[in-house]
């Protein structure tokens, strides 16, 4: 995994590197291969429990910075943290139990590094980070963390309109995560449902949404891993809304997005901007141009501050749709966006 840290961050924005069908093979391997026995290298210093705990405790701050600032702002920071951990694992000595914890940290750092790259438009780098994160999760025998990586890869494939692979990855994530907490099950199930929605497989989508709803009902009574804490009620509502947007059930999407935005933490600036744009799309489809412009206007400051290429693309897309209408609110929005780039 240490060969990825540092080199991937230098990648120019580019296309996916895995050929068609390779991602499905990766998903099949994840489901079938047994984890290896850990064997540490003997020429470095010892990795003790205090050090591993310190590394684990640094992860929440990276997740929080990503949510608040966007991937472009912290991509290099995460890569540096990943290099630190991979170097320790390559040169240090450790027990099998501590090694599994450290490899789990490396896997989560690889996932975050992949996500920040994906958010910034560096798709090939994201893919390399995630494949390495999968290997680290496999070495740690941490199937839940690996499933979360596969979930992220599925979204990348979906955005690239490679929906067969997106579905294979989402299904492998859900099937491979055995005995996970209810919150994690809901998260993985909604991802697979959303992939079916994009493919217009409405029945499959609705069946999985029912499973996800039952899991979310149980989530408050269970302790979930820290990396799944972002998947709260607001995020769940937004992901259900995304399913309904994909199948053009705009009234349902608007209702779910209203719930999401009403309960979302103000710290999640990038996600709030995303869901404002999604809601603008839903109400525009319902014929409310003024409300759509108001929602986009609220999203603009967060998009301007967060270096998220995906949200910049969303803003450009909704603006193109809105510009087709003659309305004073459209002119006001045009002025706001013009001042943003001036």
């Amino acid at each position: 995994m240490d060969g990825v840290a540092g080199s991937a961050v230098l990648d120019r924005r580019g296309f996916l590197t895995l050929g068609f069908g390779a991602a499905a093979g990766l998903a099949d391997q994840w489901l079938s291969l047994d984890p290896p026995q850990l064997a540490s290298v003997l020429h470095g210093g010892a990795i003790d429990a205090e050090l591993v705990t310190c590394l684990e405790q640094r992860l929440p701050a990276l997740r929080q910075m990503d949510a608040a600032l966007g991937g472009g702002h912290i991509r290099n920071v995460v890569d540096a943290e990943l290099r630190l951990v991979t170097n320790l694992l390559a040169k240090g000595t450790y027990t099998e139990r501590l090694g599994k914890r450290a490899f789990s940290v490396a896997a989560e750092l690889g996932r975050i590094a992949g996500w920040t790259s994906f958010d910034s438009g560096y798709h090939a780098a994201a893919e390399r980070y995630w494949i390495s994160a999968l290997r680290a999760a496999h070495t740690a025998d941490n199937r839940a963390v690996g499933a979360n990586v596969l979930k992220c890869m599925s979204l990348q494939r979906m955005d690239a309109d490679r929906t067969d692979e997106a579905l294979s990855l989402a299904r492998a994530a859900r099937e491979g995560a055995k005995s996970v907490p209810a919150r994690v099950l809901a998260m993985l199930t909604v991802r697979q449902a959303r992939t079916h929605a994009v493919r217009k497989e409405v029945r499959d989508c609705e069946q999985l949404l029912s499973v996800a709803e039952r899991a979310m009902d149980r989530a408050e009574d269970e302790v979930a891993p820290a990396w799944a804490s972002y998947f709260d009620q607001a995020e769940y509502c937004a992901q259900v809304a995304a399913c309904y947007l994909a199948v053009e059930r705009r009234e349902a999407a608007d209702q779910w997005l209203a719930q999401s935005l009403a309960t979302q933490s103000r710290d999640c600036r990038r996600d709030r901007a995303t869901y404002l744009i999604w809601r603008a799309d839903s109400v525009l489809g319902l014929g409310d141009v003024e409300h759509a412009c108001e929602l986009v206007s609220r999203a603009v400051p967060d998009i301007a501050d967060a270096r998220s290429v995906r949200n910049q693309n969303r803003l450009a897309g909704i603006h193109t749709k809105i510009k087709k209408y003659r309305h004073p609110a459209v002119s006001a929005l045009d002025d706001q966006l013009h001042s943003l780039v001036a």
Side-chain angles (χ1 to χ4, degrees):
M1 187 171 181
D2 54 316
V4 173
S7 61
V9 81
L10 298 176
D11 283 1
R12 298 293 183 262
R13 289 192 175 96
F15 299 101
L16 300 174
T17 57
L18 282 181
F20 283 93
L26 190 70
D28 289 340
Q29 289 178 11
W30 172 252
L31 289 173
S32 60
L33 291 180
D34 292 327
Q37 293 292 316
L38 280 181
S40 64
V41 180
L42 297 178
H43 59 272
I47 298 176
D48 60 21
E50 185 177 0
L51 175 59
V52 175
T53 299
C54 178
L55 295 172
E56 290 169 338
Q57 290 174 344
R58 293 157 72 97
L59 292 171
L62 293 173
R63 298 188 196 103
Q64 186 174 2
M65 285 191 290
D66 173 53
L69 301 175
H73 282 292
I74 72 160
R75 184 168 174 257
N76 288 300
V77 176
V78 181
D79 183 80
E81 191 83 2
L82 177 60
R83 270 185 282 172
L84 169 64
V85 175
T86 54
N87 284 338
L88 287 171
L89 285 168
K91 299 176 181 178
T93 61
Y94 39 82
T95 65
E96 180 161 353
R97 183 178 62 83
L98 287 177
K100 286 185 175 182
R101 285 175 59 190
F103 270 99
S104 291
V105 171
E108 176 61 359
L109 283 170
R111 186 200 66 80
I112 299 171
W115 183 262
T116 58
S117 296
F118 176 44
D119 190 44
S120 307
Y122 296 93
H123 296 290
E127 184 178 70
R128 291 175 64 190
Y129 280 125
W130 283 333
I131 291 172
S132 293
L134 271 182
R135 292 173 182 150
H138 181 67
T139 302
D141 193 18
N142 194 329
R143 299 191 71 82
V145 168
N148 198 28
V149 175
L150 289 172
K151 181 208 73 178
C152 293
M153 294 182 72
S154 173
L155 181 59
Q156 185 186 42
R157 257 49 188 189
M158 193 168 66
D159 278 10
D161 199 29
R162 290 165 65 165
T163 61
D164 287 349
E165 292 175 309
L167 181 57
S168 294
L169 290 164
R171 184 181 289 126
R174 182 166 169 262
E175 293 178 358
K178 305 297 185 183
S179 303
V180 294
R183 188 177 306 277
V184 176
L185 176 61
M187 178 186 71
L188 299 175
T189 303
V190 167
R191 168 63 62 237
Q192 186 178 342
R194 188 171 163 190
T195 307
H196 284 295
V198 170
R199 293 162 60 89
K200 308 304 180 187
E201 297 164 352
V202 178
R203 183 177 179 183
D204 291 326
C205 172
E206 290 181 336
Q207 288 176 343
L208 287 169
L209 287 180
S210 296
V211 174
E213 182 179 14
R214 292 193 295 271
M216 280 302 290
D217 288 341
R218 303 194 307 271
E220 295 301 322
D221 300 326
E222 294 184 14
V223 177
W227 51 261
S229 62
Y230 87 97
F231 196 80
D232 54 13
Q233 189 65 26
E235 178 66 16
Y236 166 69
C237 290
Q239 293 304 318
V240 173
C243 294
Y244 288 127
L245 269 177
V247 297
E248 300 182 1
R249 291 177 54 182
R250 298 187 184 278
E251 289 186 0
D254 184 50
Q255 292 169 6
W256 282 97
L257 285 167
Q259 293 182 57
S260 175
L261 290 165
T263 57
Q264 191 172 47
S265 168
R266 295 193 61 81
D267 294 334
C268 300
R269 299 175 62 192
R270 179 187 55 202
D271 289 346
R272 181 172 66 243
T274 298
Y275 305 149
L276 285 168
I277 295 295
W278 286 0
R279 194 175 183 199
D281 193 9
S282 68
V283 300
L284 186 66
L286 294 171
D288 194 341
V289 179
E290 184 172 3
H291 191 193
C293 289
E294 185 265 332
L295 290 163
V296 175
S297 179
R298 287 168 54 192
V300 167
D302 286 336
I303 294 176
D305 290 341
R307 291 171 58 186
S308 170
V309 170
R310 298 178 74 227
N311 267 353
Q312 292 167 6
N313 291 338
R314 291 184 180 109
L315 177 60
I318 193 65
H319 188 219
T320 298
K321 292 181 179 181
I322 287 175
K323 285 193 299 184
K324 298 176 183 178
Y325 296 88
R326 290 182 175 273
H327 193 284
V330 177
S331 299
L333 180 62
D334 288 343
D335 291 342
Q336 181 185 12
L337 293 175
H338 180 74
S339 66
L340 183 66
V341 298

